[in-house]
Amino acid sequence: MHLENRTFDELQVGDSAELKRLCTFDDLLIFANVSGNHNPMHIVDPDGPGPREPVAPSMFIGSLVSAVLGNILPGAGTLYRRQLLDFSDRAHAGDELLSRVRVTGKNEAEGTVTLATEVRRVADDVVIMRGEAVVEAPREKLSYDDEDLPGLLVQRHRHFEALMQLAEDLPPLPMAVVVPEEEKALGGALLAAQRGLIEPVLIGARAKIEALAEAGGCDLSGIEILDEPDHAAAARRGVALVREGRAGGLMKGHLHTDVLLRAAMDRDRGLRAGRRLTHVFVMDVPGLSHPLLVTDAAINISPDLSCKMDIVQNAIEVARAIGIDPPRVAVLSSVETVNPALPSSLDAALLSKMADRGQITGGYVEGPLAMDNAVDMGAARTKGLGESQVAGRAEVLVAPNLDAGNMIAKQLTFIAHAEAAGVVAGATAPIVLTSRADDETARLASCAVAALHHRWLEGGSD
């Protein structure tokens, strides 16, 4: 947008200007970070002491006036001398606000201009703030194009907050926690229990678990502990609890993943349900308007077409379990066209056709798609895919192999600052594979996904 300032000589008493601004939750979080004012009255935190609808900080309201002064009237070159603020009402996230200034006087000797200032709530025309500004007006004429500032992404994991709220509305999921003999493994299970997500049964060396709890100040009152020092035996015991109906899910503690999965995949005493066990990451990516599922990044190294059918179907069911229904599934390759020399593109095309023929159900499946045109609508339209149900708006990304899937998930985590929850699907009950790198949010979200997936397995689509 082309902008031109008003010099001191051009300004006349009675001149006015105004700007409208929608106050958002992210505005308040950014202001809290920039200003250092972390008053819970102004920050969204459903579990904290602040209100559900946070109040906009008064100085944020005041800053809206400076936007009019610096951009329009007088505009570029304006410097503050003084600002009086009188607040008569409050604004909240979601309110559209109108900030207005009007010239009331000029001081030739000082080169200053006095302006009446106000901010109103547009919906009901209520005055939020009135005041007076004294500024040094520019003497030099400036004309410029208003170039976009670099964008900001708020690192706020709202999708996980919503998932945990959904899961907290369910009865706690009885969870067999296998070998919680490490601080994060035990602490994550106990925290999930405190949040009402799970009802843990701890399986491992009792002495180690109790010593760890005592050292960390954790209360084990009312929590069942099954003493089993051997990791493989503990894994089998956890699986047995699920088979007996005493647990609705399995959670990895401080043991090797293959030890736990070996027990879960045992043909006679495991948790097989007719499909391959596959891992699904559920990721909360800042700036993305929906959760993003990535599969398979943890179990199946080089899946063939038959395995990929199960990977896709399992991912669809996890997506539907957490409320994405029907999910849009992009089967990834390095290109969006079928290339006989590129096996991943052939598999993607076949999976897409299988979905068309009803061999894969419950979601839109399309491939091959490259990463850019799977998630970005601009890239999809550039490639002529704008009419696709999936391209540009994928909610599930199916990687061609474990290497690619793992790289996607870790790039999103460590570069895009995503949080990653995970669950193993395809078994008779959800299996949570936690990592030592997982923080509290990831562990809680994994338990939430497991609880929601368990409900899906119990009730299907009903």
Side-chain angles (χ1 to χ4, degrees):
M1 181 172 61
H2 186 74
L3 295 175
E4 188 173 277
N5 69 354
R6 303 279 296 280
T7 65
F8 180 88
D9 293 333
E10 292 175 328
L11 291 170
Q12 302 292 326
V13 172
D15 289 347
S16 65
E18 61 186 36
L19 280 175
K20 283 184 180 180
R21 169 69 176 264
L22 177 66
C23 177
T24 69
F25 289 122
D26 284 356
D27 288 334
L28 306 190
L29 290 173
I30 291 169
F31 189 85
N33 277 279
V34 172
S35 68
N37 178 6
H38 299 164
N39 182 347
M41 292 294 293
H42 309 312
I43 301 173
V44 181
D45 183 359
D47 300 312
R52 292 284 177 155
E53 295 184 3
V55 179
S58 296
M59 295 311 296
F60 171 80
I61 302 300
S63 72
L64 301 181
V65 170
S66 70
V68 186
L69 297 173
N71 289 329
I72 305 177
L73 188 72
T78 301
L79 294 173
Y80 254 126
R81 280 284 191 91
R82 182 171 68 252
Q83 174 74 62
L84 301 177
L85 302 170
D86 182 13
F87 296 93
S88 55
D89 209 321
R90 302 295 174 192
H92 297 80
D95 287 340
E96 186 178 24
L97 303 175
L98 175 71
S99 48
R100 180 182 291 133
V101 303
R102 179 174 54 83
V103 177
T104 59
K106 297 172 66 176
N107 185 321
E108 183 70 41
E110 296 185 354
T112 60
V113 176
T114 303
L115 304 99
T117 63
E118 69 173 25
V119 176
R120 291 176 177 267
R121 190 167 52 234
V122 172
D124 53 10
D125 200 34
V126 168
V127 175
I128 304 294
M129 183 278 292
R130 279 197 175 96
E132 181 181 83
V134 178
V135 302
E136 295 177 15
R139 292 285 189 176
E140 180 183 353
K141 193 71 175 175
L142 293 174
S143 177
Y144 63 100
D145 290 322
D146 180 24
E147 296 182 355
D148 290 336
L149 292 172
L152 292 177
L153 288 180
V154 176
Q155 197 169 319
R156 174 173 170 243
H157 297 103
R158 65 188 73 199
H159 304 308
F160 278 2
E161 294 166 10
L163 287 180
M164 284 187 272
Q165 182 60 57
L166 285 174
E168 285 170 358
D169 291 338
L170 302 174
L173 175 65
M175 181 75 78
V177 184
V178 182
V179 193
E181 298 170 4
E182 182 269 339
E183 182 180 358
K184 285 188 175 181
L186 178 61
L190 297 180
L191 183 61
Q194 292 170 12
R195 290 287 295 267
L197 297 170
I198 67 171
E199 184 179 302
V201 178
L202 309 181
I203 309 168
R206 178 186 293 273
K208 288 183 179 180
I209 295 171
E210 291 178 343
L212 191 63
E214 184 177 356
C218 300
D219 185 9
L220 296 178
S221 300
I223 295 178
E224 184 177 5
I225 301 175
L226 302 180
D227 189 19
E228 185 53 76
D230 182 79
H231 288 190
R236 291 193 296 271
R237 199 162 179 181
V239 169
L241 289 182
V242 176
R243 288 177 61 89
E244 295 163 7
R246 291 185 57 196
L250 199 61
M251 184 174 181
K252 174 181 174 285
H254 192 55
L255 78 166
H256 290 297
T257 298
D258 59 350
V259 174
L260 183 67
L261 292 182
R262 190 177 300 118
M265 291 189 290
D266 184 277
R267 291 190 179 278
D268 298 321
R269 294 174 294 176
L271 303 177
R272 289 177 178 267
R275 290 198 204 126
R276 291 288 292 267
L277 270 61
T278 67
H279 186 269
V280 183
F281 273 120
V282 179
M283 311 201 73
D284 192 335
V285 185
L288 199 61
S289 63
H290 54 79
L292 186 67
L293 281 62
V294 178
T295 188
D296 183 339
I299 296 179
N300 296 283
I301 298 173
S302 298
D304 58 15
L305 183 62
S306 177
C307 182
K308 286 182 180 180
M309 285 181 61
D310 289 345
I311 288 173
V312 172
Q313 191 66 65
N314 287 344
I316 288 173
E317 293 187 1
V318 171
R320 296 180 69 186
I322 65 172
I324 304 174
D325 193 10
R328 297 180 173 92
V329 182
V331 187
L332 298 179
S333 182
S334 57
V335 294
E336 66 284 342
T337 54
V338 177
N339 183 341
L342 197 60
S344 62
S345 72
L346 294 174
D347 285 351
L350 290 169
L351 291 166
S352 178
K353 181 54 68 176
M354 288 176 177
D356 290 344
R357 298 287 173 86
Q359 292 173 267
I360 298 171
T361 62
Y364 300 112
V365 180
E366 186 166 331
L369 290 173
M371 183 69 180
D372 57 347
N373 49 59
V375 299
D376 183 82
M377 184 55 72
R381 286 172 177 157
T382 298
K383 295 297 179 68
L385 302 171
E387 301 302 316
S388 165
Q389 289 280 3
V390 176
R393 63 191 80 180
E395 295 148 329
V396 180
L397 302 179
V398 179
N401 54 45
L402 186 145
D403 277 341
N406 196 271
M407 289 175 191
I408 293 169
K410 287 182 177 175
Q411 286 165 353
L412 290 172
T413 300
F414 292 99
I415 297 177
H417 307 291
E419 285 281 2
V423 66
V424 175
T428 57
I431 303 171
V432 176
L433 296 183
T434 55
S435 165
R436 285 174 294 177
D438 288 346
D439 61 12
E440 286 185 355
T441 300
R443 291 171 186 271
L444 286 173
S446 293
C447 289
V449 172
L452 293 167
H453 188 225
H454 176 265
R455 179 181 65 173
W456 170 269
L457 293 173
E458 292 289 296
S461 58
D462 295 333

